[in-house]
Amino acid sequence: MALDFAFTPEQEAFREEIRAFLSKELPPDHWKLQSDREQAPAGQAEFTRSFVKKLADQGWLTMHWPKEYGGRGASVMEQVIYNEETGYAAAPVGIGSQMAVTMAGPTIMSWGSEELKTEHLPAISRGEALWCQGFSETNAGSDLASLETRAVRDGDDYVVNGQKIWTSGAHTADWCMLLVRTDPQARKHKGITYLLMDMRAPGVEVKPIISMMDAHGFNEVWMEDVRIPVRNRVGDENEGWYVATTTLDFERSGITRVAWSRRVLEEIVGWVRSNGAVANKAVTRNALTDLWIAVEVSRLLSYRVGWMQSQGQVPNAEASMVKVFGSELACAITNVGTNLLGLGGGLLRGSTGTPPLYGALPLGYMGTTTYAIAAGTSEIQRNIIAQRGLGLPRS
């Protein structure tokens, strides 16, 4: 079956509608403010929540969801267009809302009981619920199935004890997608259960992790005798690994990062054209051309995932291809940009004057370093591609 990435006139009109909305609702200097934390306006969290609510009011936040769950049954490719445009504009959709819409909601739809669907999906579709992902642990990152957080059945509850780490947005989240071990005697992939944890439950403690960018996005989450109702289980007991892989596939298949990378590359190219003072123009031209081609490849790989979903297929290795290629491309773009702009553009931030690209690259360079680690390392993605995509044996 041929892959057709041509957009219909209706889809192109929808793209223009989103662009007009973003132009109206975002400040003229929004891209600059997103790149310069010290000049970001006060009340950014409130602005993000308000903006997400506007997206929900437009019917865009969960437009790809079925109508019975608060969506409008839009096509997958319409969702791809929406993600691409909001990513390009660095729209403040918020990590908690993103996880709710793209990970928690679809996973609950795929595996959850009708009770869980009724409880959680409407709140997500209205932009009212923020979620986080309680997967990784100190000794269970890439080897996620080695997790040790324990849940013991006690009547109608699970009693949970343990710790999660690198939990993005846990300090603002209402709910957590939580992986726990319910059968310590089973093989490690077989004794895991997937629970939904109320972040306000007694015994839940969130401790911030401050990054080298002086940013608070990551957290540790400690659980001491936290009681989670059995009805909050997604899928069967001890079968949570299969539910988790569904969540991870949703996490890895987006085009938002690709669109952001394209925007950064365009900013770098614009600076080179207006500045002209680069050490070796031929080398610079070739490096930027290679990156431009790679951005187009990354975009088409993302379109392929969307196309597969539109055909009722479930991308797996294909989602990992998008993840590893897009993550490493973002690193390459900020690396080339930092070297091109030199010390002034690579070290200074916006509050120190008027550095090239308003100080965007220092944060971008440090931030993209995590892309090859978060949501599954590049090594893990390559293993998935080799085994599930190419059919190669495990070594």
Side-chain angles (χ1 to χ4, degrees), residues 167-184:
T167 311
S168 299
H171 55 300
T172 60
D174 303 302
W175 288 88
C176 177
M177 300 167 276
L178 186 69
L179 289 185
V180 296
R181 186 161 300 284
T182 42
D183 185 355

mmCIF file of all heavy atoms in Angstrom, residues 167-184:
data_model
loop_
_atom_site.group_PDB
_atom_site.id
_atom_site.type_symbol
_atom_site.label_atom_id
_atom_site.label_comp_id
_atom_site.label_asym_id
_atom_site.label_seq_id
_atom_site.Cartn_x
_atom_site.Cartn_y
_atom_site.Cartn_z
ATOM 1 N N THR A 167 10.472 11.927 37.355
ATOM 2 C CA THR A 167 9.045 12.011 37.080
ATOM 3 C C THR A 167 8.699 13.436 36.654
ATOM 4 O O THR A 167 8.540 14.319 37.505
ATOM 5 C CB THR A 167 8.228 11.596 38.322
ATOM 6 O OG1 THR A 167 8.743 10.362 38.827
ATOM 7 C CG2 THR A 167 6.769 11.438 37.968
ATOM 8 N N SER A 168 8.580 13.648 35.366
ATOM 9 C CA SER A 168 8.327 14.984 34.825
ATOM 10 C C SER A 168 6.958 15.489 35.267
ATOM 11 O O SER A 168 5.947 14.796 35.128
ATOM 12 C CB SER A 168 8.388 14.963 33.292
ATOM 13 O OG SER A 168 9.654 14.552 32.842
ATOM 14 N N GLY A 169 6.934 16.708 35.797
ATOM 15 C CA GLY A 169 5.674 17.357 36.133
ATOM 16 C C GLY A 169 4.953 16.799 37.337
ATOM 17 O O GLY A 169 3.793 17.156 37.580
ATOM 18 N N ALA A 170 5.615 15.973 38.144
ATOM 19 C CA ALA A 170 4.928 15.382 39.302
ATOM 20 C C ALA A 170 4.495 16.443 40.309
ATOM 21 O O ALA A 170 3.512 16.255 41.033
ATOM 22 C CB ALA A 170 5.833 14.363 39.985
ATOM 23 N N HIS A 171 5.217 17.561 40.359
ATOM 24 C CA HIS A 171 4.914 18.598 41.353
ATOM 25 C C HIS A 171 3.630 19.358 41.025
ATOM 26 O O HIS A 171 3.098 20.068 41.879
ATOM 27 C CB HIS A 171 6.090 19.578 41.460
ATOM 28 C CG HIS A 171 6.499 20.212 40.173
ATOM 29 N ND1 HIS A 171 6.940 19.483 39.091
ATOM 30 C CD2 HIS A 171 6.540 21.510 39.776
ATOM 31 C CE1 HIS A 171 7.234 20.306 38.093
ATOM 32 N NE2 HIS A 171 6.997 21.528 38.483
ATOM 33 N N THR A 172 3.117 19.228 39.807
ATOM 34 C CA THR A 172 1.854 19.887 39.447
ATOM 35 C C THR A 172 0.772 18.887 39.058
ATOM 36 O O THR A 172 -0.378 19.285 38.844
ATOM 37 C CB THR A 172 2.061 20.855 38.270
ATOM 38 O OG1 THR A 172 2.536 20.125 37.127
ATOM 39 C CG2 THR A 172 3.066 21.948 38.630
ATOM 40 N N ALA A 173 1.110 17.613 38.972
ATOM 41 C CA ALA A 173 0.180 16.610 38.447
ATOM 42 C C ALA A 173 -0.932 16.291 39.444
ATOM 43 O O ALA A 173 -0.745 16.317 40.666
ATOM 44 C CB ALA A 173 0.925 15.333 38.084
ATOM 45 N N ASP A 174 -2.081 15.959 38.895
ATOM 46 C CA ASP A 174 -3.217 15.480 39.686
ATOM 47 C C ASP A 174 -3.197 13.957 39.814
ATOM 48 O O ASP A 174 -3.604 13.413 40.842
ATOM 49 C CB ASP A 174 -4.531 15.914 39.028
ATOM 50 C CG ASP A 174 -4.625 17.412 38.846
ATOM 51 O OD1 ASP A 174 -4.535 18.135 39.850
ATOM 52 O OD2 ASP A 174 -4.775 17.864 37.688
ATOM 53 N N TRP A 175 -2.737 13.283 38.733
ATOM 54 C CA TRP A 175 -2.737 11.828 38.689
ATOM 55 C C TRP A 175 -1.422 11.316 38.127
ATOM 56 O O TRP A 175 -0.712 12.039 37.419
ATOM 57 C CB TRP A 175 -3.899 11.315 37.832
ATOM 58 C CG TRP A 175 -5.232 11.473 38.481
ATOM 59 C CD1 TRP A 175 -6.055 12.563 38.428
ATOM 60 C CD2 TRP A 175 -5.885 10.524 39.326
ATOM 61 N NE1 TRP A 175 -7.178 12.350 39.176
ATOM 62 C CE2 TRP A 175 -7.112 11.104 39.734
ATOM 63 C CE3 TRP A 175 -5.578 9.247 39.758
ATOM 64 C CZ2 TRP A 175 -8.008 10.439 40.569
ATOM 65 C CZ3 TRP A 175 -6.471 8.571 40.589
ATOM 66 C CH2 TRP A 175 -7.668 9.176 40.982
ATOM 67 N N CYS A 176 -1.140 10.051 38.444
ATOM 68 C CA CYS A 176 0.112 9.430 37.991
ATOM 69 C C CYS A 176 -0.173 8.056 37.390
ATOM 70 O O CYS A 176 -0.916 7.249 37.962
ATOM 71 C CB CYS A 176 1.065 9.278 39.178
ATOM 72 S SG CYS A 176 2.625 8.441 38.793
ATOM 73 N N MET A 177 0.409 7.792 36.217
ATOM 74 C CA MET A 177 0.421 6.450 35.630
ATOM 75 C C MET A 177 1.565 5.691 36.308
ATOM 76 O O MET A 177 2.731 5.993 36.079
ATOM 77 C CB MET A 177 0.670 6.541 34.121
ATOM 78 C CG MET A 177 -0.353 7.322 33.347
ATOM 79 S SD MET A 177 0.207 7.712 31.643
ATOM 80 C CE MET A 177 1.175 9.201 31.934
ATOM 81 N N LEU A 178 1.247 4.720 37.125
ATOM 82 C CA LEU A 178 2.220 4.115 38.028
ATOM 83 C C LEU A 178 2.424 2.633 37.723
ATOM 84 O O LEU A 178 1.464 1.862 37.662
ATOM 85 C CB LEU A 178 1.748 4.277 39.476
ATOM 86 C CG LEU A 178 2.710 3.816 40.565
ATOM 87 C CD1 LEU A 178 3.927 4.735 40.639
ATOM 88 C CD2 LEU A 178 1.986 3.780 41.927
ATOM 89 N N LEU A 179 3.685 2.248 37.562
ATOM 90 C CA LEU A 179 4.042 0.841 37.414
ATOM 91 C C LEU A 179 4.556 0.308 38.736
ATOM 92 O O LEU A 179 5.433 0.909 39.362
ATOM 93 C CB LEU A 179 5.116 0.657 36.339
ATOM 94 C CG LEU A 179 4.709 0.859 34.885
ATOM 95 C CD1 LEU A 179 5.877 0.507 33.969
ATOM 96 C CD2 LEU A 179 3.491 0.022 34.524
ATOM 97 N N VAL A 180 3.997 -0.832 39.170
ATOM 98 C CA VAL A 180 4.383 -1.432 40.447
ATOM 99 C C VAL A 180 4.603 -2.929 40.255
ATOM 100 O O VAL A 180 4.105 -3.530 39.297
ATOM 101 C CB VAL A 180 3.297 -1.202 41.519
ATOM 102 C CG1 VAL A 180 3.128 0.276 41.818
ATOM 103 C CG2 VAL A 180 1.959 -1.809 41.076
ATOM 104 N N ARG A 181 5.346 -3.513 41.196
ATOM 105 C CA ARG A 181 5.560 -4.957 41.151
ATOM 106 C C ARG A 181 4.587 -5.629 42.118
ATOM 107 O O ARG A 181 4.595 -5.347 43.313
ATOM 108 C CB ARG A 181 7.004 -5.310 41.519
ATOM 109 C CG ARG A 181 7.316 -6.793 41.357
ATOM 110 C CD ARG A 181 8.806 -7.056 41.261
ATOM 111 N NE ARG A 181 9.402 -6.377 40.117
ATOM 112 C CZ ARG A 181 9.292 -6.761 38.859
ATOM 113 N NH1 ARG A 181 8.586 -7.847 38.564
ATOM 114 N NH2 ARG A 181 9.876 -6.079 37.899
ATOM 115 N N THR A 182 3.749 -6.487 41.583
ATOM 116 C CA THR A 182 2.753 -7.187 42.398
ATOM 117 C C THR A 182 3.089 -8.664 42.600
ATOM 118 O O THR A 182 2.482 -9.322 43.444
ATOM 119 C CB THR A 182 1.360 -7.059 41.751
ATOM 120 O OG1 THR A 182 1.462 -7.246 40.336
ATOM 121 C CG2 THR A 182 0.767 -5.690 42.024
ATOM 122 N N ASP A 183 4.022 -9.199 41.831
ATOM 123 C CA ASP A 183 4.441 -10.593 42.014
ATOM 124 C C ASP A 183 5.966 -10.654 41.921
ATOM 125 O O ASP A 183 6.533 -10.816 40.836
ATOM 126 C CB ASP A 183 3.812 -11.493 40.951
ATOM 127 C CG ASP A 183 4.134 -12.974 41.181
ATOM 128 O OD1 ASP A 183 4.922 -13.278 42.101
ATOM 129 O OD2 ASP A 183 3.614 -13.817 40.435
ATOM 130 N N PRO A 184 6.667 -10.535 43.049
ATOM 131 C CA PRO A 184 8.131 -10.525 43.030
ATOM 132 C C PRO A 184 8.734 -11.868 42.648
ATOM 133 O O PRO A 184 9.936 -11.951 42.343
ATOM 134 C CB PRO A 184 8.494 -10.151 44.473
ATOM 135 C CG PRO A 184 7.311 -10.535 45.283
ATOM 136 C CD PRO A 184 6.122 -10.341 44.401
#
